[in-house]
Amino acid sequence: MTQPCIFITRLIPDRGLALVKQHFHPDVWSDEMPPSRAELLQRVRGVDGLLCLLTEKIDAELMDAAGPQLKVISSMSVGVDHIDVSAATARGIPVGNTPGVLTDATADMAFALLLAAARRVVEGEKYVREGKWKTWHPQLLLGADFVGSTLGIVGFGRIGQAVAKRAKGFDVRVLFHDPSAELLHGAQPVDLDTLLQESDFVSIHVPLTPETKHLVNASFLAKMKPSAILVNTSRGGVVDQTALYTALKSHKIFAAALDVTDPEPLPMDSPLLELENCLIVPHLGSASKHTREMMAYLAAENLIAGLKGEKLPNCVNPEIYSR
Ligand code: DGY
């Protein structure tokens, strides 16, 4: 049997790469930067398996450039908004993702951002480095208390629930909005308007879909308390950044903490970077060593299963198997 051709779009953690190499000889893109669109279209030509990251746009054009032999698309991510899943389904190609293993790391990051924004940690750090720390002052860099507050979680899937679980230790009232979710961790289901009006912290945990694109817009932000803090660890496209800038600049809300932006990386001329009350980190939600190793491992498992003609352990379009 001839060896299948595989393209891996970046040097993934060894736990995953070694697993692929136990079975196959993949072509691996080893630059720090992702392949350009032209390079990607060229490198996928004739591949049987593609292991990609969330930085690559995997659409119908790319699938056609790969060719009809393409058997599997495996993404080292839980989110698959960079993949045209319907186009893959139409071609009978299973698409794999990496759910579960990044739930805790992402919930931890949501908490790190929430507390950092509430207690102005980054502003404080900058203040020290700029030599502005002259004395202890009763009014210096005052923030918000998390203990005893109300936390509103928009999207109550795995990560939203893990955030609620953590909040229990802070004596916080937890509200959530997610019509499809079950009651868990003492959180109370409410409609979105109630959540926005009553929450001191709003944490976003919805996938990016046409329905959630710019869910956080001017009207969403206008319903939040002026003292409220927005945390987003989901996808940048869920937030209308122009509306967020206006709300932060005019202090319609207290602060925002973003792990994700649209686009990524955020251009250096983004007005959000002018604001002290907007904390931004470079999409680090899953960035713990163990988590990234597990994501690479799951992505490798999906790739190998697809190449062997087996069901992917984590498949986002399982309907292809019932045809
Ligand atoms: C994912 O896997 O979708 C995450 O955003 C990566 O951190």
Side-chain angles (χ1 to χ4, degrees):
M1 194 182 107
T2 53
Q3 273 279 330
C5 288
I6 297 165
F7 184 49
I8 303 186
T9 62
R10 214 75 50 78
L11 214 42
I12 61 170
D14 200 46
R15 194 151 177 187
L17 195 55
L19 183 65
V20 177
K21 285 183 172 171
Q22 274 174 28
H23 299 258
F24 308 110
H25 303 291
D27 173 19
V28 182
W29 183 263
S30 55
D31 288 7
E32 186 193 344
M33 295 302 288
S36 68
R37 180 75 182 169
E39 285 159 336
L40 189 59
L41 288 172
Q42 207 260 318
R43 287 289 266 274
V44 297
R45 222 166 280 265
V47 300
D48 302 283
L50 175 64
L51 196 158
C52 63
L53 308 186
L54 52 78
T55 41
E56 283 83 54
K57 187 170 176 212
I58 310 297
D59 56 8
E61 182 195 23
L62 186 131
M63 295 172 207
D64 291 341
Q69 77 299 327
L70 182 61
K71 288 189 190 60
V72 55
I73 298 168
S74 170
S75 183
M76 192 186 126
S77 63
V78 66
V80 289
D81 47 283
H82 55 299
I83 302 177
D84 185 341
V85 177
S86 315
T89 305
R91 289 161 178 75
I93 304 170
V95 176
N97 72 339
T98 64
V101 292
L102 46 69
T103 299
D104 284 321
T106 310
D108 285 349
M109 177 55 83
F111 256 87
L113 290 177
L114 184 154
L115 291 171
R119 301 303 303 276
R120 305 175 68 174
V121 172
V122 176
E123 281 175 85
E125 208 263 354
K126 196 168 155 228
Y127 187 85
V128 173
R129 283 182 193 270
E130 288 175 353
K132 293 183 179 162
W133 187 17
K134 305 291 182 218
T135 183
W136 186 92
H137 192 284
Q139 302 291 354
L140 179 64
L141 288 172
L142 302 186
D145 285 312
F146 184 52
V147 166
S149 69
T150 297
L151 167 65
I153 300 176
V154 181
F156 209 56
R158 288 186 194 87
I159 300 171
Q161 290 177 27
V163 168
K165 191 172 157 191
R166 282 156 178 73
K168 274 170 83 177
F170 286 84
D171 272 340
V172 161
R173 175 179 172 237
V174 181
L175 308 178
F176 75 86
H177 176 69
D178 187 337
S180 62
E182 292 167 13
L183 307 192
L184 271 174
H185 305 299
Q188 182 189 339
V190 288
D191 60 68
L192 187 56
D193 282 4
T194 306
L195 182 144
L196 297 176
Q197 283 151 13
E198 297 191 7
S199 296
D200 302 296
F201 297 85
V202 175
S203 193
I204 308 295
H205 300 285
V206 291
L208 178 60
T209 64
E211 292 72 41
T212 62
K213 171 105 184 152
H214 288 187
L215 170 73
V216 181
N217 55 18
S219 119
F220 182 110
L221 293 159
K223 289 173 191 152
M224 289 173 64
K225 297 182 182 182
S227 55
I229 293 176
L230 176 79
V231 178
N232 186 16
T233 50
S234 65
R235 282 292 182 268
V238 175
V239 175
D240 173 350
Q241 286 174 184
T242 308
L244 179 63
Y245 172 79
T246 306
L248 289 169
K249 178 92 182 161
S250 56
H251 301 284
K252 290 264 179 335
I253 65 170
F254 180 68
L258 311 175
D259 181 41
V260 286
T261 60
D262 182 21
E264 290 182 4
L266 188 66
M268 283 310 290
D269 62 358
S270 165
L272 288 177
L273 294 172
E274 294 162 12
L275 302 172
E276 294 285 7
N277 57 348
C278 189
L279 192 169
I280 307 175
V281 294
H283 203 148
L284 297 176
S286 62
S288 79
K289 200 167 179 305
H290 175 72
T291 299
R292 289 284 167 84
E293 278 171 1
M294 289 310 297
M295 289 168 71
Y297 191 79
L298 259 54
E301 280 189 330
N302 281 333
L303 178 80
I304 293 163
L307 288 167
K308 290 183 170 169
E310 295 165 4
K311 275 194 183 179
L312 310 197
N314 290 289
C315 186
V316 298
N317 56 348
E319 62 274 20
I320 63 154
Y321 296 118
S322 49
R323 282 186 183 158

